[in-house]
Amino acid sequence: MRISIALPSGRLLKDTKAFLEEVGIKVKEPDSRELISSLDSYTFYFPRVFDVPVYVENGVDLGICGSDIVLERKNEVYVPVDLPFGKCRMSLIVPKGKKISPEKMEGFKIATKYPEITQDFFLEKGIKVKILKLNGAVELAAKVGIADAIVDIVDTGNTLRANDLEEVYKIMDISAVLLVNRITQKTKFDFVNNLITKIRKIK
């Protein structure tokens, strides 16, 4: 039985690789510019982290990415377990000295890489905001004033301090998660079940 796994390229890869080896899956990183590798009965794919849920929804057996990406992309995948790494939080952030509660942000422009999560957050509170979708460096939007606030991932908080920004509200905690293709969940049930059991023991 072959198992295909979509792994996040970028900063999560090192921790993902170490964790999978703990549960008995040795990962082979691809050569230079290649995006696929194989080892034993596993095939590994290395898409951009934001695309991992798309691969798993459309036929790759398993994937690992941040819970933020699963919530943002809203793909049809099974997420059985959080993983013990990739811990950070998603927060609402404003320029330093302009602290304000989310409830008072009616009409604000909010810059983010996460428009779906941001929209859902403000809709739940009954607040209308304008969302500016950016693909990176969202801190800049608040710094130059094209946005009143931003929604972004916070890890150490160093980037915020360096850009004179501060958190006003934690929207959610985030960690890496295991994704399982809905068909794989049924057709390779024993493998998936054993893997989840091993992961829970390590957690």
Side-chain angles (χ1 to χ4, degrees), residues 6-9 13 27-30 35-37 44-48:
L7 300 179
S9 53
L13 183 57
V27 176
K28 182 188 175 200
E29 287 192 54
L35 298 169
I36 301 175
S37 69
F44 303 101
Y45 302 108
F46 297 85
R48 285 183 60 213

Side-chain angles (χ1 to χ4, degrees):
M1 177 178 65
R2 284 208 76 77
I3 298 287
S4 55
I5 309 180
L7 300 179
S9 53
R11 66 187 183 90
L12 261 187
L13 183 57
K14 189 180 166 197
D15 288 342
T16 299
K17 199 176 160 192
F19 182 76
L20 285 176
E21 289 183 5
E22 265 192 87
V23 294
I25 299 172
K26 197 163 169 43
V27 176
K28 182 188 175 200
E29 287 192 54
D31 300 324
S32 60
R33 292 176 177 275
E34 290 181 3
L35 298 169
I36 301 175
S37 69
S38 290
L39 187 64
D40 304 325
S41 55
Y42 298 99
T43 302
F44 303 101
Y45 302 108
F46 297 85
R48 285 183 60 213
V49 66
F50 244 84
D51 296 332
V52 168
V54 182
Y55 280 78
V56 176
E57 181 182 45
N58 289 285
V60 173
D61 293 316
L62 306 173
I64 289 176
C65 68
S67 52
D68 54 319
I69 291 163
V70 180
L71 290 166
E72 180 62 29
R73 299 298 303 243
K74 297 184 176 177
N75 294 93
E76 273 297 309
V77 293
Y78 173 47
V79 184
V81 65
D82 290 354
L83 304 177
F85 61 92
K87 305 272 186 199
C88 51
R89 60 194 179 275
M90 185 175 292
S91 292
L92 185 57
I93 296 154
V94 296
K96 211 163 191 174
K98 294 192 175 175
K99 216 161 186 181
I100 181 172
S101 71
E103 287 76 13
K104 292 182 178 162
M105 289 188 177
E106 184 78 34
F108 270 39
K109 284 185 189 169
I110 316 286
T112 186
K113 285 183 280 191
Y114 302 93
E116 293 291 329
I117 291 172
T118 304
Q119 189 75 63
D120 290 348
F121 171 72
F122 281 103
L123 274 176
E124 255 178 52
K125 294 187 171 296
I127 308 293
K128 280 187 183 165
V129 296
K130 183 179 181 187
I131 293 171
L132 311 179
K133 184 186 184 313
L134 298 177
N135 292 316
V138 288
E139 304 85 12
L140 185 61
K143 224 175 145 84
V144 302
I146 69 161
D148 303 296
I150 64 175
V151 169
D152 204 10
I153 300 296
V154 180
D155 188 359
T156 60
N158 291 341
T159 307
L160 298 190
R161 285 187 286 278
N163 287 285
D164 290 325
L165 301 170
E166 61 181 325
E167 290 176 77
V168 288
Y169 191 91
K170 181 176 84 172
I171 294 172
M172 65 178 75
D173 287 309
I174 288 163
S175 76
V177 289
L178 178 72
L179 316 184
V180 182
N181 174 276
R182 290 285 185 189
I183 294 167
T184 299
Q185 188 190 347
K186 299 184 180 85
T187 58
K188 299 175 182 176
F189 177 81
D190 288 343
F191 173 85
V192 171
N193 222 26
N194 288 340
L195 180 62
I196 293 166
T197 303
K198 281 182 194 169
I199 289 171
R200 289 199 169 124
K201 279 181 184 160
I202 288 175
K203 280 184 74 187

